[in-house]
Amino acid sequence: MKERDKNIENSKKDSSADSLESASPLSGPLRGEKICVIGAGFVGTVTASGFARFGHEVVCVEKDDKRLSLLRSGRIPFYERDLEQLVKTEMSGGRLMFESDLEKGIEGVKAVFLTVGTPSSNGGRADLTALQEIISFLSKKMKPGQILVIKSTVPVGTANMIKKYFSENGNRADIEVVNNPEFLREGNAVYDFFNPHRIVIGGNSTGAIETISHIYKMGMTRPVPIFTTNNETAEMIKYASNVYLATKVGFVNELARLCDRVGVNTMEVARVIGADPRIGQEFLNPGPGWGGSCLPKDLREFIGLGDSLGVSLHIPRAVSEANLRQFEHVYRKVKSLAGDIKGARIGVLGLTFKANTSDLRESPAIPILTRLIENGAEVIAYDPAADGEVIDLLPGIHRVDDPYETAVGSDCMLILTEWSDFQLLDWGRISETMKNKNIVDARNILAPELLKRYGFNYASIGQN
Ligand code: UDX
């Protein structure tokens, strides 16, 4: 058996119900560690406050003054369900603090979790600038026995490169580097932290891997598989997960285009094919295309890695292209109902890349609405949470604070995000204020029959 497979096998034993059920934060043999989390984005803040809830003593380091002072006053700079309450409780319990000084933050801690962003660079590969800056600092300041845990999504080989850098530039061969990818969904990140499907810990040192496993086991209330492996495998697992998820959504979006043509309901097909456990029910909702802070950039890095090694990855490339076509498909649906886009007034509900987040990063709304505006449409949009970037990313839209306002005098309504609030709107009232009763429900969240009763020309994704 290969060393790597042995590790994965061992991790299965390690994650038995017994070992986890005994890991109560208050009574078990495991003890709380001092932990530093670098970066207070959604991953860092959730991880820091989650570890504090597990019973660890956590310092979360954030260099942005505005973000830091918000967090210190118990407010969250972005929308993430349940996070504010968790942060407030852990701060008042004295287990969580926010700090600007990195040197102070890592003082006396057992493990340093790095969660800084790795956005796409212009060439599509992951931009490691923020990470490199911190690594350079840590190589001089971390102490023997401390463990560096890379939680940021990093290209395959990064953890080992950092380990080498530590040895060569800081004389810190005694610092172990571990990769521990995150699988937190925005909008469900607190839930996901406490209810993970799996925990992946990559590294070369058994001791370091065990320490990180214990940090998690401290607070787990039910058995969770912990897979231990080497760093490159852990790094690849993260990319493979997100590329696969994008592929699955990409497939169902194409299926929907075909179903539309032949008059078959995609939702029905998806539900039935998903009953086969080899396929699974989740991630089979057709929509306006996938977006967000992870899937698009991880797909680009994955393709870029393949290219750099001469491995042409046809499926991810096709998935990426199909997603662009999905944006265009939604635009065409609006056009086919509204008629001439030039001068048309389009009421838009939802701007974020999915519901329950304020995040607009790579939201399908950006290309779709940009195309509408470029072709002369007037776009009036409502979103309950989209953050202040809206004006920068979509300068041409007129944003309103009341969803009903988007409908007044409009030629077509367009739903781009599956906020549940939109299902509760009075669609009869909306229909009365519109100029032309057209609606494109790009998330399939409304009942077609009801909308038709109100006199709407209703179009969805794959249900027509
Ligand atoms: C993703 C991964 O799910 C998570 O494990 C990882 O760590 C971070 O990246 P997130 O970016 O929050 O999480 O979004 P996710 O829930 O995965 O959705 C991605 C995109 O796919 C969204 O645009 C969403 O609207 C779309 N999607 C998802 C669909 O269109 N249909 C579906 O059925 C599921």
Side-chain angles (χ1 to χ4, degrees), residues 219-442:
M220 288 295 160
T221 54
R222 62 180 177 87
V224 175
I226 298 183
F227 294 99
T228 62
T229 180
N230 60 32
N231 274 316
E232 308 91 290
T233 309
E235 289 160 346
M236 184 61 96
I237 286 168
K238 174 62 193 265
Y239 283 104
S241 293
N242 276 352
V243 172
Y244 192 81
L245 291 174
T247 306
K248 202 170 176 191
V249 178
F251 171 78
V252 80
N253 283 340
E254 282 208 331
L255 174 70
R257 299 218 285 268
L258 189 60
C259 283
D260 263 346
R261 281 297 178 92
V262 290
V264 167
N265 187 334
T266 321
M267 305 299 270
E268 238 180 284
V269 176
R271 190 159 51 88
V272 178
I273 63 168
D276 180 338
R278 291 174 302 172
I279 296 173
Q281 293 286 359
E282 290 187 43
F283 269 68
L284 283 180
N285 295 312
W290 44 265
S293 63
C294 291
L295 265 51
K297 81 171 170 67
D298 292 353
L299 197 93
R300 285 191 287 267
E301 167 58 32
F302 191 75
I303 294 171
L305 175 68
D307 285 349
S308 74
L309 299 170
V311 182
S312 188
L313 299 166
H314 301 286
I315 293 173
R317 221 182 279 282
V319 168
S320 183
E321 285 163 17
N323 207 39
L324 298 179
R325 277 199 293 274
Q326 191 68 6
F327 304 152
E328 178 65 15
H329 182 62
V330 175
Y331 168 78
R332 282 175 192 275
K333 285 220 171 217
V334 175
K335 194 166 184 248
S336 74
L337 288 190
D340 199 0
I341 291 296
K342 197 165 180 343
R345 192 177 164 100
I346 313 294
V348 174
L349 294 175
L351 294 169
T352 53
F353 80 95
K354 65 173 188 178
N356 301 317
T357 175
S358 50
D359 203 338
L360 280 164
R361 280 176 286 179
E362 307 220 23
S363 171
I366 299 166
I368 294 168
L369 299 185
T370 302
R371 181 114 162 81
L372 282 166
I373 292 164
E374 278 170 1
N375 283 284
E378 187 190 354
V379 173
I380 297 95
Y382 167 80
D383 188 286
D387 59 28
E389 284 175 353
V390 175
I391 301 303
D392 300 334
L393 293 171
L394 283 163
I397 68 163
H398 177 53
R399 189 175 178 184
V400 292
D401 294 329
D402 177 354
Y404 291 101
E405 253 186 77
T406 60
V408 180
S410 74
D411 295 289
C412 185
M413 292 297 287
L414 169 61
I415 300 182
L416 287 176
T417 313
E418 72 282 22
W419 288 101
S420 55
D421 302 9
F422 300 157
Q423 290 173 311
L424 305 177
L425 292 173
D426 179 345
W427 285 95
R429 176 180 157 195
I430 287 180
S431 74
E432 282 159 20
T433 63
M434 290 178 73
K435 185 166 148 211
N436 291 303
K437 297 181 188 184
N438 297 309
I439 180 160
V440 175
D441 175 6

Side-chain angles (χ1 to χ4, degrees), residues 22 37 142 146 149 151 197 225 231 315 329 339 355 370 375 377 385 408-409 446:
S22 64
V37 175
M142 278 179 80
Q146 289 186 317
V149 187
K151 235 186 187 327
H197 293 121
N231 274 316
I315 293 173
H329 182 62
T370 302
N375 283 284
V408 180
L446 301 178

